[in-house]
Amino acid sequence: MVEKVFDTGRRPQWCPGCGNYSILAAVKAAFTDLALDPSEIVAVAGIGCHGRMTEYLNVNAFHAIHGRAIPVAVGVKTVNPNLTVIVHTGDGDAYSIGLSHLLHAARRNVGIKVIVHNNMVFALTTGQAGPTTPKGVKTRSTPAGNYEEPFNTILLALASGATFVARGFSDDVQHLKELIKLAIKHRGFAFIDVLQPCPTFYDLRQILKQKVYKLEKHDVTDFKAALELALESERIPVGVFYHVEKTAYEENLGSAIKRLSSVKEFSKIRLSKLLARFS
Amino acid sequence: MDYATDLEVLIGGPAGSGVFATGAVAAKTLLQHGYDVFTTNEYPSTIRGGHQWVLVRAKLNGKAFSHRGTPDAILALDAHTALEHGGRLKDRGAILCDESVAQTLNMHRIVPLPLSKIVKEAGAPPVAVNMAGLGALLGMLGCDLELLLNAVKRQWEKARVAELNVKVAELGYEEGVKHGSMLSFKVRRVEAKQRLLLDGNSAVALGALAGGMSFFTAYPITPASPILHFLAEVQEECGIIVVQAECELSSINMAIGAAFAGARAVVATSGPGLSLMAEALGAAAMTETPIVIVNVQRSGPSTGLPTHTAQGDLRFAIHASHGEFPRVVLAPGDPVEAYQLSCEALNLAWKFQVPVILLTDKFLAESHWTVHELPEVELQDADFYQPEPSVKYARYKLTEDGVSPLVFPGVKGVRIYTNTNEHDEQGFVTVDPAVVKLMQEKRFRKLKELSKLSESRGVKVYGEGDTALVVWGSVKSVAMEALEKVEGVKLVQVIWLEPFPRRSLAKEIEGCKVLVAENNFTSQLVSLMRENLKLEPHAVLNKYDGRPFSPQELNEFMKANAGGFHG
């Protein structure tokens, strides 16, 4: 039972059958299961259909500009590591215009939780091909069929040094909820690529349902095994590919963060100490 | 024998030959002698090779506002330096160089010195020839050896390196003393209070610290990187977070996130970086997140002259990003103002919840001035929201002054919704024309109070006269120097560029013959004066070759256009 506490009371508005409904449900259920305080959560969203998540999730929220949700979240998490910082971002947001931020946040192991609403198409802009649109697919920007290769997003995350790499499927809310819970509890950067059918512009629901299978008996600390799984193409594994513990970025700044409150009392004594080098 | 009351020395050589370290030691030594010191430099965008120089000016009675451009002595670490700058050497001056370099030169006033031999003798690496040369130069000028060696010691962190340089400098000094007769003017030591030799970049960093900055982020870019270097160096000591971002798109968005979470955030960059930040600048404005952007201007467009100065970003700073929103643009003219305005920028950003852009330039950022004491600045805390039971928090509450209650994530029972979409009071997306109109008007209501501040603080005046030379930014320093040889001209400096101090500027130049000097091609300050004051200046001097004005250029400009000139 999802508590109303994470609900703004606004009726979600997406296309009927949109995967975003399920992702929203999974996120709220994960927050509920973990008994999180909504005022201790910050959701940062980018631009795309996923962007409306912040309208419905009753937690602190920052609806950022296109592609820049991740750096905003990095700023938040760095300054206040006590907050649970969730990034909702789309495939256009995270893999196209804002790709570099995803890779660098993973490399730094900043303790933000990135949920990519990957519907493999630019939907809010009414159906253009994106960096995860498979080859051959006809969209409004690829009327003769897409001739570009899509990114392998799990490989991207693994190659960037992400310490938690998972894939979910929006149709399996329970499974996705568990992935989100693991991500939130993870010490550093967490990445979940969520396959999400877009019933309006690129409806893969039936194909995904056939191809998706849950990862079992996989050693999540085995990087090479994770790479192998990421390369699977006939079937699509969902679940945790990789999960290891490393120092989170913000932990390196521990001492600075503790002193944040005292910065405002930047005293004359401290200033004069700094000035010695200029005399 | 004369005592030098206005001395200028130039140290030049290929990049990588330690020209800057030499300049720094020379400047510190002269500062310790009680002189008022100014230094400026020029360098190419390369790490090895290419010509670079540092110019050190030292005045005994009075302030060294800027360079003179006519060195009394040149330390040439290569032949190119002698050939490039020898023509501007003063009559009684001297060009010091290694014997091997001297052999290739057919010039007057050359002083060949056994600098390489000294370095070898001391067992130091060949690069130490710079310290041998500086020792010789300061020896010839009759400097105090102890003050020199002390400055040398402080320049290098590693004890072994410092030790070798001290040895080389001392041997160089002894050699210089032997040639003392070549220079008829000598440096004198006078009692002086401890003073600072401060560059614009450091002043900005210090001002931000004084203004409570707790989060700084930047992507490396010339000439703004020294701010990052300095703050990274003191981050532990000051308890601040310093993040080197992956690009400027990231740095400004990180700063926005940090400010949203409650940190006074500053981001520094130069023109190309500000171009990249343009979209997020609007995001800061739309979300009413307080951030400070330092833009150290360099010559554009595009990559332009990465290591050279310009004032070409004024209009860009005022208009960058799509749509319309209030912002503040401030431009200091020297390190003291840079310190003050950097602190003030943070105060303003947080009080009004608007982006503030601090415009400096390469000349201000990387030149050093003698500062007797930093002025008192005050961190003014913003008003923060106090939760009230049964009242729903509204991030964008409509208020009389346009400033809505601010609070940070983590307060029980409070939901903060910050939105780059147009939004209602709660932060929810809206397209309702009535709300859209109210929100735009709310944001712009902040201009009322900001304009008042601009009118009261935005213009500074120096001297008196019926001619007004109007400048902004670092041109102020050169103009102060030029002004010393002029009567009947007052200097009017515009510090607040946005909102523009229309009335106070109009008042200051009323009835005056108006001259304007700017480091750009399109006279951007003039365009603001036309727009705000409906005024056409009598004459405009533009410089857009990557170099600051020289005092002589400003003098000639004033001479040609103003009455009452006695220069």
Side-chain angles (χ1 to χ4, degrees), chain B residues 140-175:
Chain B
M140 279 173 75
L141 286 167
C143 281
D144 185 302
L145 178 63
E146 199 189 317
L147 292 181
L148 164 64
L149 298 186
N150 194 27
V152 175
K153 210 182 289 170
R154 288 180 62 196
Q155 181 68 28
W156 283 276
E157 267 176 39
K158 286 186 187 151
R160 172 75 190 141
V161 180
E163 205 180 294
L164 273 176
N165 277 301
V166 164
K167 198 167 165 191
V168 169
E170 188 167 5
L171 291 170
Y173 183 89
E174 284 164 13
E175 189 63 32

Side-chain angles (χ1 to χ4, degrees), chain A residues 37 54-55 259 277-278, chain B residues 197 233 236 412 415 417:
Chain A
D37 177 345
T54 50
E55 296 275 303
R259 280 176 294 184
R277 76 194 70 213
F278 297 103
Chain B
L197 195 60
E233 197 181 310
E236 271 291 309
K412 262 223 169 340
R415 186 216 183 205
Y417 188 11

